[in-house]
Amino acid sequence: MSDRSHPAPGPVRRRPVQQRSQERYGRVLDACAGLLDEVGATALTTKEVAQRAQVPIGTLYQFFAGKEDLLAALATRNLDHYLRRLDARLAAAAPVGPAVFTDLAVEEFVAMKRTVPGFGLLDFGLAGPAVPTDVRDDRHLLDPGVDNNTAVALRLQALGGELFLAGDPAATTVTLRVALEAADAVLKLAFREAPDGDPALIAECKRLVRGYLAQQPSAR
């Protein structure tokens, strides 16, 4: 990947340029998110998404080659939205150390799980127990070159900036990837235990990741 701060997005046939096309593109993604909550990823179809978005099915296929591309675009939008929200909170909390960065990162993820349509089943990759048969590889929705958590780790590494400059960049990426895998597991458990996430398990997730990052050479 040539630019670690901007991993390649999921495959999209045509990026909208005109305002009307951008509005339709957004409507399609909104419809996809809403239907995910209603029918789940396996039952989701491009036909239903187009109907919900009130666009011709041909318009949907102008932007997306199929269901996998549609989910990839929504996952990419989710990540962009998450990073903007996290960046705003980091700016408000400055100065920020690794522990505060960790807590805010977990809190924003939890907040989106609770409030953002579709995010419960598709955050930055499919979060449900089953992968639809019409999705070839859900592990690379954000970037065909790396798995989803590596793509997220690279974006967080760029966002964290000086917090992660003390260590080797490649080693830091691995560290963040491991932290994300651990956080994923605990937060999945938290949301299995309670619809809004079990507070005790969310707190344990923060403590686990803080402790792990504090042991790394790049921590300050």
Side-chain angles (χ1 to χ4, degrees):
M1 186 158 37
S2 60
D3 182 351
R4 66 185 178 88
S5 66
H6 297 285
V12 177
R13 283 193 166 184
R14 179 169 67 85
R15 291 285 178 183
V17 177
Q18 297 180 344
Q19 182 176 353
R20 184 181 179 188
S21 294
Q22 291 175 347
E23 191 272 336
R24 284 183 169 184
Y25 182 88
R27 271 209 331 263
V28 169
L29 292 184
D30 290 342
C32 179
L35 283 167
L36 278 172
D37 285 335
E38 296 176 20
V39 304
T42 300
L44 182 78
T45 67
T46 53
K47 180 180 179 181
E48 289 179 324
V49 171
Q51 289 175 341
R52 174 69 62 88
Q54 298 183 327
V55 301
I57 188 67
T59 297
L60 185 149
Y61 283 117
Q62 288 176 0
F63 299 132
F64 311 103
K67 177 174 169 178
E68 184 171 353
D69 293 356
L70 178 59
L71 293 175
L74 181 57
T76 299
R77 188 176 77 165
N78 284 342
L79 178 56
D80 289 342
H81 187 192
Y82 169 75
L83 291 169
R84 285 195 298 270
R85 289 172 55 143
L86 178 57
D87 191 32
R89 290 199 62 179
L90 291 170
V96 173
V100 173
F101 186 96
T102 297
D103 285 357
L104 293 179
V106 171
E107 288 170 12
E108 279 304 321
F109 185 83
V110 168
M112 290 183 69
K113 281 285 188 185
R114 291 170 174 167
T115 61
V116 175
F119 200 80
L121 287 179
L122 180 78
D123 40 56
F124 316 133
L126 286 167
V131 178
T133 56
D134 46 0
V135 174
R136 296 181 301 275
D137 188 356
D138 68 305
R139 297 172 303 165
H140 295 84
L141 287 179
L142 293 173
D143 187 325
V146 296
D147 66 87
N148 296 328
N149 273 341
T150 298
V152 176
L154 288 164
R155 295 288 296 275
L156 286 174
Q157 191 170 345
L159 182 64
E162 62 185 19
L163 292 176
F164 305 118
L165 292 180
D168 173 67
T172 299
T173 302
V174 172
T175 295
L176 290 174
R177 182 185 179 191
V178 171
L180 286 167
E181 293 285 350
D184 273 352
V186 178
L187 291 176
K188 283 178 181 176
L189 176 60
F191 280 90
R192 285 201 304 269
E193 290 294 311
D196 285 335
D198 181 85
L201 290 171
I202 293 170
E204 284 300 296
C205 176
K206 293 179 182 178
R207 189 168 71 89
L208 174 68
V209 177
R210 283 198 307 262
Y212 171 67
L213 293 180
Q215 298 175 30
Q216 305 308 309
S218 59
R220 289 185 176 181

